[in-house]
Amino acid sequence: GENVEQHPSTLSVQEGDSAVIKCTYSDSASNYFPWYKQELGKGPQLIIDIRSNVGEKKDQRIAVTLNKTAKHFSLHITETQPEDSAVYFCAASPSGGYQKVTFGTGTKLQVIP
Amino acid sequence: EADIYQTPRYLVIGTGKKITLECSQTMGHDKMYWYQQDPGMELHLIHYSYGVNSTEKGDLSSESTVSRIRTEHFPLTLESARPSHTSQYLCASSGRDAQTAKNIQYFGAGTRLSVL
């Protein structure tokens, strides 16, 4: 089955700096890679996703990159703000998410004002 | 915003009690899931359902049981709660996004269970 590894487990950055979270996956059949943000006391919410036919996707201060050959994908947050502080999960799934979604172990991001 | 609801949000009970955690969604999604979330954050899939009368065990063994009698409702039951069941339980549902054709999971806010 799929195995998704996520690093780092905790990340502290100064407000305004960039944050990068990295994930690797094992199953070459995976073609859909969502990222979720979980704020304190809430469930995870999808913030951005990428399909395997795209190498990069950007949405305002958030970007994801995918290297299919190396089976790596990353989340980049630029100009971090205190409200970016949360736990972030990467995930991988075959068939656009219709089959099982495997989550990474989570990264706790703290943005220091 | 996702229309998926979990009740109760917090529950403190004694050992041996039977409990049911409720999860409902109004999006008409066929697929629903229960995750157990460690204090260390990791999400563990414990049950899932692909539709009415369909239930499957997830990756993490759990003493809980689930039922799916109606599309919108996916309750989780512990027949005899123990301190080892203390955790956060997250329910999710997924369905085909009309615009993107992707199958996106939407999560409820979770139930934090403490068994004394």
Side-chain angles (χ1 to χ4, degrees), chain A residues 1 8-9 11-12 22-23 27 29-30 38-39 41 48 50 53 55 57-58 79 88-89 94 101 110 113:
Chain A
S9 56
L11 179 60
S12 290
K22 297 182 178 182
C23 291
D27 188 351
S30 289
Q38 185 177 20
E39 297 176 332
I48 194 167
I50 191 168
N53 58 349
K57 184 176 177 181
K58 192 173 181 180
E79 300 171 27
Y88 291 81
F89 292 95
V101 175
Q110 182 184 21

mmCIF file of all heavy atoms in Angstrom, chain A residues 1 8-9 11-12 22-23 27 29-30 38-39 41 48 50 53 55 57-58 79 88-89 94 101 110 113:
data_model
loop_
_atom_site.group_PDB
_atom_site.id
_atom_site.type_symbol
_atom_site.label_atom_id
_atom_site.label_comp_id
_atom_site.label_asym_id
_atom_site.label_seq_id
_atom_site.Cartn_x
_atom_site.Cartn_y
_atom_site.Cartn_z
ATOM 1 N N GLY A 1 0.822 -1.205 0.000
ATOM 2 C CA GLY A 1 0.000 0.000 0.000
ATOM 3 C C GLY A 1 0.849 1.244 0.000
ATOM 4 O O GLY A 1 2.072 1.195 0.094
ATOM 5 N N PRO A 8 9.194 18.736 8.055
ATOM 6 C CA PRO A 8 9.483 18.298 9.421
ATOM 7 C C PRO A 8 8.194 18.075 10.206
ATOM 8 O O PRO A 8 7.117 18.389 9.724
ATOM 9 C CB PRO A 8 10.262 19.495 9.978
ATOM 10 C CG PRO A 8 9.649 20.668 9.284
ATOM 11 C CD PRO A 8 9.285 20.199 7.905
ATOM 12 N N SER A 9 8.293 17.575 11.410
ATOM 13 C CA SER A 9 7.098 17.389 12.228
ATOM 14 C C SER A 9 6.701 18.698 12.912
ATOM 15 O O SER A 9 5.529 18.915 13.211
ATOM 16 C CB SER A 9 7.316 16.294 13.274
ATOM 17 O OG SER A 9 8.437 16.594 14.063
ATOM 18 N N LEU A 11 7.718 23.099 12.817
ATOM 19 C CA LEU A 11 8.402 24.140 12.062
ATOM 20 C C LEU A 11 8.030 25.495 12.653
ATOM 21 O O LEU A 11 6.845 25.806 12.762
ATOM 22 C CB LEU A 11 8.001 24.070 10.588
ATOM 23 C CG LEU A 11 8.584 25.084 9.614
ATOM 24 C CD1 LEU A 11 10.100 24.974 9.585
ATOM 25 C CD2 LEU A 11 8.011 24.855 8.218
ATOM 26 N N SER A 12 9.036 26.256 13.044
ATOM 27 C CA SER A 12 8.808 27.610 13.558
ATOM 28 C C SER A 12 9.475 28.602 12.621
ATOM 29 O O SER A 12 10.651 28.425 12.282
ATOM 30 C CB SER A 12 9.391 27.766 14.968
ATOM 31 O OG SER A 12 8.655 27.020 15.893
ATOM 32 N N LYS A 22 7.770 19.167 3.308
ATOM 33 C CA LYS A 22 8.078 18.201 2.246
ATOM 34 C C LYS A 22 7.453 16.843 2.527
ATOM 35 O O LYS A 22 7.407 16.399 3.684
ATOM 36 C CB LYS A 22 9.586 18.054 2.107
ATOM 37 C CG LYS A 22 10.272 19.355 1.684
ATOM 38 C CD LYS A 22 11.754 19.163 1.498
ATOM 39 C CE LYS A 22 12.393 20.475 1.039
ATOM 40 N NZ LYS A 22 13.842 20.335 0.785
ATOM 41 N N CYS A 23 7.014 16.194 1.464
ATOM 42 C CA CYS A 23 6.448 14.850 1.572
ATOM 43 C C CYS A 23 6.995 13.955 0.473
ATOM 44 O O CYS A 23 7.325 14.431 -0.620
ATOM 45 C CB CYS A 23 4.922 14.894 1.483
ATOM 46 S SG CYS A 23 4.147 15.662 2.916
ATOM 47 N N ASP A 27 3.871 4.904 -3.739
ATOM 48 C CA ASP A 27 3.108 4.217 -4.781
ATOM 49 C C ASP A 27 3.062 5.054 -6.058
ATOM 50 O O ASP A 27 2.478 6.143 -6.065
ATOM 51 C CB ASP A 27 1.690 3.950 -4.264
ATOM 52 C CG ASP A 27 0.878 3.064 -5.188
ATOM 53 O OD1 ASP A 27 1.349 2.784 -6.314
ATOM 54 O OD2 ASP A 27 -0.219 2.655 -4.792
ATOM 55 N N ALA A 29 1.329 4.711 -8.488
ATOM 56 C CA ALA A 29 -0.043 4.853 -8.998
ATOM 57 C C ALA A 29 -0.739 6.099 -8.435
ATOM 58 O O ALA A 29 -1.770 6.520 -8.957
ATOM 59 C CB ALA A 29 -0.859 3.613 -8.653
ATOM 60 N N SER A 30 -0.196 6.683 -7.390
ATOM 61 C CA SER A 30 -0.803 7.892 -6.821
ATOM 62 C C SER A 30 -0.719 9.037 -7.813
ATOM 63 O O SER A 30 0.339 9.284 -8.406
ATOM 64 C CB SER A 30 -0.104 8.280 -5.514
ATOM 65 O OG SER A 30 -0.428 7.363 -4.503
ATOM 66 N N GLN A 38 -5.182 22.067 9.490
ATOM 67 C CA GLN A 38 -6.033 21.833 10.650
ATOM 68 C C GLN A 38 -5.733 22.876 11.703
ATOM 69 O O GLN A 38 -4.656 22.862 12.319
ATOM 70 C CB GLN A 38 -5.841 20.422 11.221
ATOM 71 C CG GLN A 38 -6.795 20.103 12.357
ATOM 72 C CD GLN A 38 -6.648 18.691 12.861
ATOM 73 O OE1 GLN A 38 -5.631 18.033 12.660
ATOM 74 N NE2 GLN A 38 -7.676 18.182 13.535
ATOM 75 N N GLU A 39 -6.671 23.757 11.943
ATOM 76 C CA GLU A 39 -6.544 24.753 13.004
ATOM 77 C C GLU A 39 -7.013 24.152 14.321
ATOM 78 O O GLU A 39 -7.746 23.149 14.345
ATOM 79 C CB GLU A 39 -7.337 26.000 12.641
ATOM 80 C CG GLU A 39 -6.797 26.676 11.376
ATOM 81 C CD GLU A 39 -7.624 27.870 10.949
ATOM 82 O OE1 GLU A 39 -8.833 27.897 11.242
ATOM 83 O OE2 GLU A 39 -7.057 28.767 10.311
ATOM 84 N N GLY A 41 -8.824 22.914 17.349
ATOM 85 C CA GLY A 41 -10.235 22.691 17.636
ATOM 86 C C GLY A 41 -11.105 22.456 16.420
ATOM 87 O O GLY A 41 -12.329 22.417 16.522
ATOM 88 N N ILE A 48 -5.173 23.253 -0.808
ATOM 89 C CA ILE A 48 -4.688 23.230 -2.184
ATOM 90 C C ILE A 48 -4.416 21.784 -2.567
ATOM 91 O O ILE A 48 -4.190 20.944 -1.682
ATOM 92 C CB ILE A 48 -3.408 24.093 -2.338
ATOM 93 C CG1 ILE A 48 -3.093 24.371 -3.811
ATOM 94 C CG2 ILE A 48 -2.222 23.470 -1.619
ATOM 95 C CD1 ILE A 48 -2.037 25.464 -4.024
ATOM 96 N N ILE A 50 -2.921 19.083 -6.032
ATOM 97 C CA ILE A 50 -2.240 19.025 -7.327
ATOM 98 C C ILE A 50 -2.395 17.635 -7.903
ATOM 99 O O ILE A 50 -2.391 16.641 -7.177
ATOM 100 C CB ILE A 50 -0.745 19.421 -7.178
ATOM 101 C CG1 ILE A 50 -0.097 19.638 -8.546
ATOM 102 C CG2 ILE A 50 0.017 18.398 -6.350
ATOM 103 C CD1 ILE A 50 1.270 20.305 -8.461
ATOM 104 N N ASN A 53 -0.364 15.388 -13.428
ATOM 105 C CA ASN A 53 -0.051 15.922 -14.751
ATOM 106 C C ASN A 53 0.402 17.386 -14.688
ATOM 107 O O ASN A 53 0.608 18.030 -15.716
ATOM 108 C CB ASN A 53 -1.256 15.778 -15.683
ATOM 109 C CG ASN A 53 -2.484 16.481 -15.149
ATOM 110 O OD1 ASN A 53 -2.510 16.916 -13.987
ATOM 111 N ND2 ASN A 53 -3.500 16.601 -15.973
ATOM 112 N N GLY A 55 3.193 20.096 -12.607
ATOM 113 C CA GLY A 55 4.376 20.121 -11.775
ATOM 114 C C GLY A 55 4.315 21.132 -10.648
ATOM 115 O O GLY A 55 4.995 20.980 -9.640
ATOM 116 N N LYS A 57 1.572 24.314 -8.748
ATOM 117 C CA LYS A 57 0.293 25.022 -8.681
ATOM 118 C C LYS A 57 0.389 26.066 -7.589
ATOM 119 O O LYS A 57 0.966 25.802 -6.532
ATOM 120 C CB LYS A 57 -0.833 24.033 -8.375
ATOM 121 C CG LYS A 57 -2.229 24.630 -8.363
ATOM 122 C CD LYS A 57 -3.238 23.524 -8.136
ATOM 123 C CE LYS A 57 -4.651 24.059 -8.040
ATOM 124 N NZ LYS A 57 -5.620 22.968 -7.793
ATOM 125 N N LYS A 58 -0.166 27.251 -7.871
ATOM 126 C CA LYS A 58 -0.053 28.347 -6.921
ATOM 127 C C LYS A 58 -1.415 28.950 -6.656
ATOM 128 O O LYS A 58 -2.260 29.076 -7.560
ATOM 129 C CB LYS A 58 0.902 29.403 -7.473
ATOM 130 C CG LYS A 58 1.326 30.442 -6.467
ATOM 131 C CD LYS A 58 2.394 31.352 -7.047
ATOM 132 C CE LYS A 58 2.824 32.389 -6.010
ATOM 133 N NZ LYS A 58 3.855 33.303 -6.520
ATOM 134 N N GLU A 79 5.547 34.705 2.764
ATOM 135 C CA GLU A 79 5.058 35.834 3.573
ATOM 136 C C GLU A 79 4.127 35.343 4.692
ATOM 137 O O GLU A 79 2.986 35.785 4.817
ATOM 138 C CB GLU A 79 4.336 36.848 2.690
ATOM 139 C CG GLU A 79 5.223 37.419 1.594
ATOM 140 C CD GLU A 79 4.416 38.251 0.598
ATOM 141 O OE1 GLU A 79 3.360 38.797 0.978
ATOM 142 O OE2 GLU A 79 4.848 38.336 -0.559
ATOM 143 N N TYR A 88 -0.409 21.003 9.306
ATOM 144 C CA TYR A 88 -0.600 20.767 7.884
ATOM 145 C C TYR A 88 -0.359 19.289 7.568
ATOM 146 O O TYR A 88 0.602 18.689 8.043
ATOM 147 C CB TYR A 88 0.361 21.632 7.062
ATOM 148 C CG TYR A 88 0.028 23.097 7.140
ATOM 149 C CD1 TYR A 88 0.426 23.861 8.235
ATOM 150 C CD2 TYR A 88 -0.706 23.718 6.142
ATOM 151 C CE1 TYR A 88 0.103 25.209 8.330
ATOM 152 C CE2 TYR A 88 -1.024 25.067 6.220
ATOM 153 C CZ TYR A 88 -0.621 25.799 7.316
ATOM 154 O OH TYR A 88 -0.945 27.140 7.404
ATOM 155 N N PHE A 89 -1.250 18.712 6.766
ATOM 156 C CA PHE A 89 -1.128 17.318 6.339
ATOM 157 C C PHE A 89 -1.015 17.254 4.824
ATOM 158 O O PHE A 89 -1.808 17.877 4.109
ATOM 159 C CB PHE A 89 -2.359 16.506 6.745
ATOM 160 C CG PHE A 89 -2.520 16.310 8.221
ATOM 161 C CD1 PHE A 89 -3.319 17.163 8.960
ATOM 162 C CD2 PHE A 89 -1.885 15.267 8.867
ATOM 163 C CE1 PHE A 89 -3.479 16.985 10.327
ATOM 164 C CE2 PHE A 89 -2.034 15.073 10.235
ATOM 165 C CZ PHE A 89 -2.831 15.934 10.958
ATOM 166 N N PRO A 94 -4.544 7.448 -5.460
ATOM 167 C CA PRO A 94 -4.728 7.154 -6.884
ATOM 168 C C PRO A 94 -6.116 7.597 -7.333
ATOM 169 O O PRO A 94 -6.985 7.862 -6.511
ATOM 170 C CB PRO A 94 -4.581 5.629 -6.942
ATOM 171 C CG PRO A 94 -4.993 5.167 -5.590
ATOM 172 C CD PRO A 94 -4.712 6.277 -4.626
ATOM 173 N N VAL A 101 -7.223 7.574 0.331
ATOM 174 C CA VAL A 101 -6.309 8.688 0.544
ATOM 175 C C VAL A 101 -5.410 8.343 1.723
ATOM 176 O O VAL A 101 -5.901 7.987 2.794
ATOM 177 C CB VAL A 101 -7.101 9.981 0.833
ATOM 178 C CG1 VAL A 101 -6.140 11.109 1.183
ATOM 179 C CG2 VAL A 101 -7.967 10.357 -0.354
ATOM 180 N N GLN A 110 4.387 26.928 13.379
ATOM 181 C CA GLN A 110 4.179 28.073 14.259
ATOM 182 C C GLN A 110 4.809 29.296 13.614
ATOM 183 O O GLN A 110 5.994 29.282 13.291
ATOM 184 C CB GLN A 110 4.808 27.816 15.636
ATOM 185 C CG GLN A 110 4.588 28.958 16.612
ATOM 186 C CD GLN A 110 5.296 28.730 17.940
ATOM 187 O OE1 GLN A 110 6.235 27.951 18.036
ATOM 188 N NE2 GLN A 110 4.853 29.429 18.964
ATOM 189 N N PRO A 113 5.110 36.083 15.655
ATOM 190 C CA PRO A 113 4.914 37.493 15.248
ATOM 191 C C PRO A 113 6.173 38.337 15.518
ATOM 192 O O PRO A 113 6.938 38.036 16.407
ATOM 193 C CB PRO A 113 3.741 37.949 16.119
ATOM 194 C CG PRO A 113 3.128 36.717 16.665
ATOM 195 C CD PRO A 113 4.200 35.673 16.708
#
